[in-house]
């Protein structure tokens, strides 16, 4: 029997959420109208960030501010209006404070871009920038994927209109715990970059995100980047270990950025068995077992040489891809486990493992 009253309540809730989202969008448009339509002057030695797939871009959006790339190989990210901008400044300054001996913060440094302080330009002293490591700088043809983490992407201070807007952006995030914000892939055969914008990403579903999302990024239909996926999984597991230990922050609307060089052929013929991809130590332990043979001398030197070569190859592949957490304007202090971020991280790892198995 159809529950008419339940259907009416559901439709009413959807309508209210739609009203909130429309109101929030109207307020945002009114705010845009009050801002300057002219992009600010570029600081000397900078230009708009190339290969940016998501986030605020120079010359676009409300303030016309966006990420810039500096000739010294760093990125200049504009500090946003308070309180968001100050939260991100505080986060980076705390994590990279050399006087801070807190182990959990020191362990976090390898998972975020390096921070070089606050940059100010004499041309426009009112605008301050975070000076950060450019994760794309060392790659000739960067393939880039921006993944927003968490099934909840609004912070505890978000008004109802913002909550409704975030929920409507990508409903599958509730079950996935993450969503694609944008990506680009270099096609070596056509010698061109293929971009997948936010509109493509919003069409992905729980059923298609592995093959049509990660599959396209790691080129499952042509030059499948199997060795890179193994490195990504290992780095994500290391990130997960950090989240399981930390009781300092809750991350909302933060992203993971993956970057690799699409113009460089990966050494697929030097792969390890899939079952042991997440640790070279398994192979090292295997050597120790082989050395304890009846006569104590069987093939130990050859085994050492083989594993040493594999470790060298793994390091090379490891350097060919970056996997870092970015965007910290919605990071809040917390004494609890960040289950929202962990939920997405665990699904991310699981879905990449599925892709690795299906693509073999």
């Amino acid at each position: 029997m159809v529950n008419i009253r339940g259907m009416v309540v559901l439709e009413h809730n959807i309508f209210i959420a739609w009203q909130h989202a429309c109101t929030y969008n109207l307020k945002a448009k009114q705010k845009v109208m009050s801002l300057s339509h002219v992009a600010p002057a570029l600081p000397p030695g900078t230009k708009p960030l190339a290969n940016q797939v998501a986030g605020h871009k120079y010359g676009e959006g409300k303030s016309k501010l966006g990420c810039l790339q500096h000739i010294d190989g760093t990125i200049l990210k504009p500090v946003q209006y308070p309180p968001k901008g100050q939260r991100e400044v505080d986060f980076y300054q705390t994590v990279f404070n050399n006087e801070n001996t807190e182990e959990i913060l020191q362990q976090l440094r390898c998972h975020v871009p390096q921070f070089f302080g606050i940059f100010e330009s004499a041309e426009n002293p009112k605008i301050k920038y975070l000076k950060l490591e450019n994760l794309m700088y060392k790659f000739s043809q960067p393939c880039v994927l921006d993944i927003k983490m968490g099934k909840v992407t609004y912070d505890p201070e978000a008004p109802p209109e913002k909550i409704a807007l975030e929920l409507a952006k990508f409903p599958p995030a509730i079950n996935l715990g993450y969503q694609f914000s944008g990506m680009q892939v270099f096609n070596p055969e056509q010698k061109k970059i293929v971009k997948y914008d936010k509109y493509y990403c919003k069409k992905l579903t729980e059923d298609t995100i592995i093959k049509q999302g990660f599959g396209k990024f790691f080129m499952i239909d042509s030059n499948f980047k199997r060795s890179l996926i193994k490195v990504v999984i290992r780095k994500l597991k290391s990130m997960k270990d950090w989240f399981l230990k930390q009781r300092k922050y809750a991350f909302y609307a933060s992203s993971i950025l993956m970057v690799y060089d699409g113009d460089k052929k990966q050494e697929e013929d030097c792969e390890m068995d899939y079952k042991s991809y997440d640790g070279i130590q398994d192979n090292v332990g295997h050597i120790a077992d082989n050395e304890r043979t009846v006569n104590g001398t069987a093939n130990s030197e050859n085994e050492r040489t083989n594993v040493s070569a594999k470790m060298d190859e793994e390091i090379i592949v490891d350097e060919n891809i970056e996997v870092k957490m970015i965007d910290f304007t919605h990071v809040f202090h917390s004494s609890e486990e960040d289950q929202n971020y962990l939920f997405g991280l665990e699904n991310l790892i699981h879905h990449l493992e599925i892709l690795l198995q299906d693509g073999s």
Side-chain angles (χ1 to χ4, degrees), residues 26 34 41-42 55 66 95 130 168 170 181 187 217 225 254 259 270 289 325 351:
L26 179 60
S34 66
L42 291 170
V95 173
L130 294 160
F170 189 70
S181 298
N187 188 316
F217 184 64
K225 309 294 184 182
S254 182
V259 189
C270 69
D289 292 337
M325 299 165 58
H351 292 162

Side-chain angles (χ1 to χ4, degrees), residues 8-151:
V8 170
V9 171
L10 178 61
E11 290 179 359
H12 175 72
N13 289 339
I14 293 174
F15 176 73
I16 294 298
W18 176 80
Q19 278 189 320
H20 282 312
C22 289
T23 303
Y24 189 82
N25 278 328
L26 179 60
K27 289 179 180 178
K29 289 179 180 178
Q30 290 171 342
K31 186 176 180 181
V32 171
M33 294 299 292
S34 66
L35 297 170
S36 172
H37 292 281
V38 179
L42 291 170
T46 69
K47 62 181 180 180
L49 178 62
N51 303 304
Q52 184 176 349
V53 298
H56 302 287
K57 297 182 180 180
Y58 178 81
E60 300 178 7
K62 301 175 183 178
S63 65
K64 309 300 180 189
L65 291 171
C67 290
L68 309 175
Q69 59 187 66
H70 197 279
I71 55 174
D72 65 3
T74 61
I75 280 179
L76 301 182
K77 180 180 180 182
V79 176
Q80 295 185 35
Y81 297 111
K84 294 191 296 183
Q86 192 58 49
R87 276 199 295 261
E88 189 163 38
V89 169
D90 292 343
F91 173 82
Y92 272 112
Q93 288 181 335
T94 301
V95 173
F96 285 93
N97 184 350
N98 290 328
E99 297 180 358
N100 197 323
T101 59
E102 196 170 349
E103 186 178 2
I104 200 70
L105 291 178
Q106 293 179 347
Q107 293 172 351
L108 177 58
R109 292 175 187 172
C110 68
H111 297 302
V112 302
Q114 191 171 351
F115 174 62
F116 301 102
I118 302 299
F119 176 91
E120 296 181 33
S121 172
E123 281 72 17
N124 201 334
K126 292 183 179 180
I127 302 176
K128 292 180 172 58
Y129 299 87
L130 294 160
K131 192 173 179 65
L132 302 168
E133 173 188 7
N134 186 346
L135 301 176
M136 299 173 281
Y137 184 72
K138 65 182 180 181
F139 301 128
S140 61
Q141 296 292 350
C143 298
V144 186
L145 173 58
D146 187 309
I147 305 173
K148 184 179 288 189
M149 298 300 295
K151 56 183 176 181

Side-chain angles (χ1 to χ4, degrees), residues 156-187:
E157 297 179 356
E161 298 89 350
K162 176 65 173 176
I163 294 174
L165 187 65
E166 287 297 313
L167 290 173
K169 278 183 178 179
F170 189 70
I174 292 293
N175 295 322
L176 289 171
Y178 67 87
Q179 55 189 288
F180 281 27
S181 298
M183 67 175 173
Q184 68 174 37
V185 182
F186 177 73
N187 188 316

Side-chain angles (χ1 to χ4, degrees), residues 243-256:
F243 269 94
L244 288 171
K245 291 185 294 184
Q246 75 96 11
R247 297 294 185 275
K248 193 170 185 69
Y249 293 118
F251 295 78
Y252 299 95
S254 182
S255 293
I256 290 177

